[in-house]
Amino acid sequence: MKQTNSLWSFFASVKLAIFTLSFIAVSSIIGTIIPQGESHSFYIKNYGEVWARFFEVLDIPDMYYSWWFIGLLGLLSANLIICSIDRFPGVWRIVNADNLAIKPERLQKMSESKSWKISKSTTDPVLLSKVLLKNGWKTVQKKTDNTVLYFSQKGRWSRTGVYLVHASILIILTGAIIGHFLGFKGSVMIPETKSSSKIYSYENSTPIKLGFEIRCDSFTIEYYDNGMPKEYMSKLTVLKDNREILTKNIEVNSPLTYEGITFYQSSYEGYQDFLITITEQLSEEKKQFIVPFQRQKEWKEKQLRFGIVNAEAIGQRVVRSKLWFKAGNSPASIEWIKDGKSITVKDGSKLYSISVKQMYATGLQVARDPGVWLVYIGCILMLAGLYMAFFMSHRRIWLLITTDENNRSSILLAGSANKNRVDFSSRFSELAQKIESSIS
């Protein structure tokens, strides 16, 4: 029925697979060259009005979600499914075939075959099977009244490698679809010491509730001598029902994941506010304040007043700040402090450790992709399938020993491989020489 069904033959054809894959590859190159997700004015400015209109008609600015690109993926999926259904049963029959039921005539017609006539009746089938085993061919056997047939094979499951690749592509597409419809991508800026229970979608900037809070405890950044950022890191804490659940330092390529939502360190923003941390050394009582530039702050319980009256900066980065500090009725003290460093201030019998740093907000990319594990599984299966398809072959060896009525023996060694036949031919010749040595 499949042979007469033209629609089935169309979807099962290799030509369709080549066409679809080629079109997807070319489209992906175009989508890489032409920036995605930009405004219409961007394309008019960079490509002209005619091309911008053409891009709009074909939905090039959002190409990977366009109807025709999704249609190509659907066509590829249909092609893989029908092609596998059409061809896999035949492969399965070969994999599970009874190779001891083969007729001697077929063995003689194989491209790799070698035969010997033995005049003496001392041919020992067991000895010959041991020669095969010694060379890596573990055999099964079948005996009749005057014949013994040994068979061995390697890599029979390699025939399924291409179907493993087909399945892996479908699994990856399924994972991507699940991630697209059930997941989200967004971002959020969280100032130090603050928390957020929502992020904002990349698609339309709408808020997305997390179901918990994420707090930025601190943000640190290091610079090269030329002032360029070297590396930066955020200390994040997950809060749920007012309880701290998880704390982790994150940096680029080292994200935090909680309840399937992953927070990636992506950017930062420097503020004109300062974080001033004061510790009374005797009581070890400690408190942190957010202090706007040139604004006075007060710790009433300790009768302390303080503020930043001046600051030196390179670009947007504060390198040191001038602290004004007054305890009770004592005279105020003024000190320059390097950013992130601390000093000790004495007020009578009391000592205070005071640290000052510029306040930052950490920029986080946030993603939830429930299909990502399917994508990982699909990638692993694809690697396994490609290895089986390109680096393994199904190799089979038969050894037939026939004894005639005059008690003389003939030996036939035959073999076949579905791929890499040059290498198999070389190994077959080596095996034939060893068989010949054992019977001479």
Side-chain angles (χ1 to χ4, degrees):
M1 180 179 178
K2 288 184 289 185
Q3 293 178 348
T4 58
N5 190 323
S6 58
L7 184 61
W8 180 276
S9 300
F10 170 75
F11 278 105
S13 71
V14 177
K15 291 180 181 177
L16 177 62
I18 294 173
F19 166 79
T20 309
L21 288 171
S22 300
F23 214 97
I24 290 174
V26 172
S27 302
S28 300
I29 293 172
I30 294 173
T32 302
I33 295 174
I34 299 176
Q36 298 288 293
E38 300 292 344
S39 63
H40 185 64
S41 58
F42 170 86
Y43 298 102
I44 292 177
K45 179 181 178 182
N46 290 278
Y47 300 96
E49 191 167 344
V50 174
W51 280 105
R53 177 61 182 163
F54 180 73
F55 291 167
E56 186 178 16
V57 171
L58 291 182
D59 210 6
I60 296 293
D62 196 21
M63 193 185 75
Y64 298 110
Y65 297 101
S66 64
W67 62 268
W68 58 268
F69 192 82
I70 294 175
L72 282 174
L73 296 179
L75 186 61
L76 176 63
S77 300
N79 180 224
L80 292 175
I81 292 171
I82 295 176
C83 179
S84 299
I85 293 174
D86 189 72
R87 293 173 171 81
F88 186 74
V91 171
W92 187 253
R93 283 194 293 272
I94 294 175
V95 170
N96 293 284
D98 180 10
N99 289 284
L100 290 173
I102 193 169
K103 295 181 178 179
E105 294 78 14
R106 283 194 60 192
L107 296 179
Q108 292 172 348
K109 293 179 181 177
M110 287 185 177
S111 58
E112 301 295 340
S113 66
K114 178 78 174 177
S115 59
W116 298 270
K117 295 286 186 182
I118 309 298
S119 58
K120 55 188 179 182
S121 59
T122 55
T123 304
D124 185 356
V126 176
L127 177 63
L128 295 179
S129 70
K130 287 182 177 178
V131 173
L132 294 177
L133 180 61
K134 191 175 180 180
N135 287 275
W137 297 94
K138 187 177 181 181
T139 60
V140 292
Q141 62 174 310
K142 179 182 178 182
K143 290 183 178 179
T144 62
D145 292 339
N146 61 340
T147 64
V148 179
L149 177 62
Y150 290 99
F151 171 73
S152 181
Q153 63 181 338
K154 295 178 182 178
R156 62 172 176 159
W157 293 107
S158 66
R159 289 182 180 270
T160 63
V162 64
Y163 302 99
L164 204 57
V165 174
H166 289 183
S168 70
I169 294 173
L170 296 173
I171 290 172
I172 290 172
L173 289 176
T174 302
I177 291 171
I178 291 174
H180 177 69
F181 287 104
L182 301 181
F184 57 76
K185 291 182 179 178
S187 63
V188 64
M189 296 289 292
I190 305 178
E192 288 180 276
T193 74
K194 304 295 184 183
S195 64
S196 177
S197 61
K198 58 188 175 185
I199 66 165
Y200 298 90
S201 169
Y202 278 149
E203 290 185 8
N204 47 26
S205 299
T206 56
I208 300 171
K209 291 183 179 179
L210 296 172
F212 55 86
E213 286 186 75
I214 186 78
R215 184 180 68 202
C216 176
D217 296 330
S218 63
F219 178 86
T220 56
I221 183 169
E222 295 182 16
Y223 293 88
Y224 290 106
D225 294 338
N226 61 5
M228 294 294 291
K230 183 178 180 181
E231 59 182 9
Y232 43 96
M233 178 178 69
S234 299
K235 182 180 181 181
L236 301 181
T237 296
V238 174
L239 304 167
K240 193 166 188 178
D241 299 328
N242 296 319
R243 292 186 300 113
E244 294 185 356
I245 305 298
L246 172 66
T247 297
K248 183 180 179 182
N249 293 325
I250 71 163
E251 51 192 340
V252 177
N253 297 327
S254 179
L256 177 150
T257 300
Y258 180 70
E259 291 189 349
I261 301 175
T262 303
F263 298 85
Y264 300 91
Q265 181 72 75
S266 64
S267 62
Y268 63 89
E269 180 182 357
Y271 288 171
Q272 290 189 347
D273 296 343
F274 292 83
L275 287 173
I276 298 180
T277 304
I278 303 175
T279 305
E280 189 182 74
Q281 293 187 357
L282 182 62
S283 64
E284 296 184 346
E285 195 171 350
K286 180 179 178 180
K287 195 168 184 179
Q288 190 175 59
F289 301 87
I290 298 174
V291 183
F293 184 53
Q294 294 183 338
R295 295 282 297 274
Q296 181 178 295
K297 204 77 175 182
E298 184 176 12
W299 188 355
K300 290 183 179 179
E301 295 82 357
K302 299 295 180 182
Q303 295 185 338
L304 302 178
R305 290 179 292 164
F306 43 88
I308 302 299
V309 296
N310 200 359
E312 292 180 355
I314 300 176
Q316 299 297 317
R317 174 169 68 98
V318 173
V319 293
R320 67 172 189 163
S321 51
K322 196 173 189 178
L323 172 70
W324 177 86
F325 182 82
K326 182 175 176 59
N329 295 322
S330 300
S333 60
I334 298 177
E335 296 279 353
W336 280 99
I337 306 175
K338 289 185 177 179
D339 193 61
K341 302 298 181 182
S342 62
I343 61 170
T344 300
V345 177
K346 184 176 182 181
D347 174 39
S349 60
K350 295 183 179 178
L351 292 174
Y352 298 97
S353 293
I354 305 172
S355 68
V356 178
K357 74 179 288 291
Q358 183 183 10
M359 185 173 173
Y360 284 88
T362 183
L364 303 174
Q365 284 187 355
V366 187
R368 181 177 183 272
D369 188 354
V372 68
W373 287 107
L374 282 178
V375 174
Y376 291 156
I377 292 171
C379 290
I380 293 172
L381 289 178
M382 179 177 287
L383 290 175
L386 290 173
Y387 181 82
M388 293 168 65
F390 288 104
F391 297 101
M392 296 178 67
S393 61
H394 186 193
R395 301 181 175 200
R396 294 178 288 182
I397 287 287
W398 289 267
L399 182 67
L400 177 64
I401 304 169
T402 306
T403 304
D404 61 18
E405 62 275 9
N406 298 318
N407 207 25
R408 289 180 299 185
S409 298
S410 62
I411 300 173
L412 174 61
L413 179 68
S416 69
N418 66 330
K419 286 177 289 186
N420 198 5
R421 293 186 176 89
V422 174
D423 180 69
F424 178 73
S425 179
S426 174
R427 295 180 183 276
F428 182 87
S429 298
E430 293 175 5
L431 182 62
Q433 289 178 1
K434 291 176 181 177
I435 293 288
E436 188 169 329
S437 299
S438 68
I439 60 178
S440 59

